[in-house]
Amino acid sequence: MALVLGIESSCDETAVALVDSDRRIVAQRIASQNEEHAPYGGVVPEIAARAHAEKLAPMIKAVLGDANISLNDVDAVAATAGPGLIGGVMVGLISAKALAMASDKPLIAINHLEGHTLSPRLADASLEFPYALLLVSGGHCQILRVDGVGQYSRMATTIDDALGEAFDKTAKILSLGFPGGPAVEELARKGDPIAVPLPRPLFRSAEPHFSFAGLKSAVLRAKDSGQYNDADLAASFQQAAIDCVNDRLGKSLDQMGDVSALVVAGGVASNKAIRTALESLAANHSLPFVAPPPALCTDNAAMIAWAGIERLGQSDPLDIAARPRWPLDPDAETVRGAGVKA
């Protein structure tokens, strides 16, 4: 049985985990930075990097202690090497390099998006390739066909804001604090999802991609008008986002070919209303619906360690560089407006 130590530091969660090849999370710790970033209404890269540097080494020691093992007992060290806030990525990757060098263990540099992409297989041993994946987070909104480890075909991406980013910006418009996504979801439960007439960007468009910038701007205009209460704004925004996701994802599923399941991953996958809508969409396409538990949706090291398990047998050189941008499908066509976000 293999055991991998995983490190995640791509944004504002400092995380360390031990995962084995039997899909057991042997030990894990996650340190949130919500208090550090809350005064600014979003993640400040310099503050995030400093917090990772302060917290990571004690957390690695603690996780090994929780499992009652030493570094010599692991088979590899896996760490996020990108994409993400470059300062934080560098802290985690440099730490992993030091551990790998000191213990003479393989270093496995993991694409953070691949961690999300493969995390449903950590939670569900029955999930087989190929599957359709909706990857939704604060920085990314993509539809992919997942044919195997390292075999990703991007069907669609956002041409502007990611869905999680739109949730966070809507929370800022409504003065809901940080992190914004869960706050919008909670407030939306108290509102009327059809009370505010909001647009559905690219709805029924011939192209498969997403756009949420216009929706976010429409929320701002509606808020400034003074005609609507905040609960109705939150509910109407969330429903508009769901309608866009269902429309865009349904189009991609029609073009994707045979897949084993419809899978959702990433931080926004924790949203219960979105999960319910996707479950219905999967049923309409006669597909099982698979979503990791919420703890595996947000940034965590267990998914990075699991991606390391999936990639056991390979290793990366100790001079591998941290990457602020790292597409899962580097051969995908450039999308208008998406640029490096693609």
Side-chain angles (χ1 to χ4, degrees):
M1 183 175 61
L3 182 66
V4 170
L5 175 69
I7 297 172
E8 158 59 22
S9 60
S10 66
C11 191
D12 62 332
E13 305 286 347
T14 310
V16 182
L18 285 162
V19 174
D20 67 25
S21 52
D22 282 344
R23 291 180 165 81
R24 291 187 307 158
I25 301 175
V26 178
Q28 69 171 330
R29 294 205 179 196
I30 301 176
S32 171
Q33 299 178 12
N34 287 347
E35 290 186 7
E36 289 93 329
H37 300 290
Y40 307 98
V43 178
V44 180
E46 294 81 0
I47 293 175
R50 189 182 309 120
H52 290 310
E54 293 172 352
K55 297 175 180 180
L56 189 53
M59 289 180 64
I60 293 169
K61 182 178 180 180
V63 166
L64 291 172
D66 291 343
N68 196 28
I69 65 169
S70 73
L71 189 58
N72 291 326
D73 296 314
V74 307
D75 293 283
V77 180
T80 297
L85 301 177
I86 191 63
V89 173
M90 290 176 65
V91 170
L93 184 58
I94 289 171
S95 299
K97 290 177 179 182
L99 294 173
M101 181 184 297
S103 61
D104 196 27
K105 301 292 183 179
L107 169 71
I108 306 177
I110 301 297
N111 185 317
H112 175 81
L113 301 181
E114 183 173 63
H116 282 303
T117 298
L118 298 176
S119 64
R121 285 173 47 83
L122 169 58
D124 187 346
S126 68
L127 179 59
E128 297 181 352
F129 301 119
Y131 53 85
L133 174 71
L134 173 66
L135 177 56
V136 277
S137 67
H140 300 274
C141 186
Q142 300 181 5
I143 300 170
L144 301 125
R145 178 184 166 100
V146 182
D147 285 289
V149 178
Q151 300 175 20
Y152 312 115
S153 301
R154 195 200 71 202
M155 308 291 293
T157 188
T158 179
I159 65 173
D160 41 58
D161 290 352
L163 182 54
E165 183 180 2
F167 265 90
D168 286 341
K169 289 179 178 177
T170 294
K172 197 166 186 177
I173 291 169
L174 300 179
S175 301
L176 297 180
F178 177 83
V184 172
E185 180 184 8
E186 182 178 356
L187 184 59
R189 297 191 187 103
K190 305 172 185 177
D192 181 352
I194 61 172
V196 186
L198 295 175
R200 272 71 171 159
L202 294 183
F203 191 80
R204 295 179 179 170
S205 168
E207 63 178 293
H209 304 297
F210 298 95
S211 173
F212 295 107
L215 174 58
K216 169 202 66 184
S217 299
V219 172
L220 177 59
R221 290 193 295 272
K223 171 67 174 177
D224 289 344
S225 74
Q227 299 179 50
Y228 310 102
N229 65 59
D230 286 354
D232 286 348
L233 281 166
S236 297
F237 161 78
Q238 182 171 266
Q239 186 58 55
I242 288 171
D243 291 346
C244 291
V245 168
N246 272 358
D247 178 68
R248 305 289 79 206
L249 184 53
K251 182 175 183 62
S252 288
L253 286 173
D254 290 339
Q255 300 173 349
M256 195 174 291
D258 292 338
V259 290
S260 67
L262 171 59
V263 180
V264 63
V268 183
S270 300
N271 183 294
K272 292 180 181 179
I274 291 177
R275 284 194 184 217
T276 299
L278 293 176
E279 192 169 8
S280 297
L281 180 66
N284 290 339
H285 283 78
S286 301
L287 290 171
F289 175 66
V290 176
L296 287 179
C297 290
T298 54
D299 292 349
N300 64 91
M303 70 179 188
I304 302 302
W306 174 251
I309 291 282
E310 296 262 36
R311 287 187 171 274
L312 269 180
Q314 76 169 54
S315 63
D316 291 291
L318 292 177
D319 62 353
I320 189 169
R323 303 173 65 173
R325 306 293 180 193
W326 190 359
L328 278 178
D329 181 5
D331 298 323
E333 292 184 6
T334 301
V335 176
R336 65 179 178 91
V340 294
K341 284 188 176 184

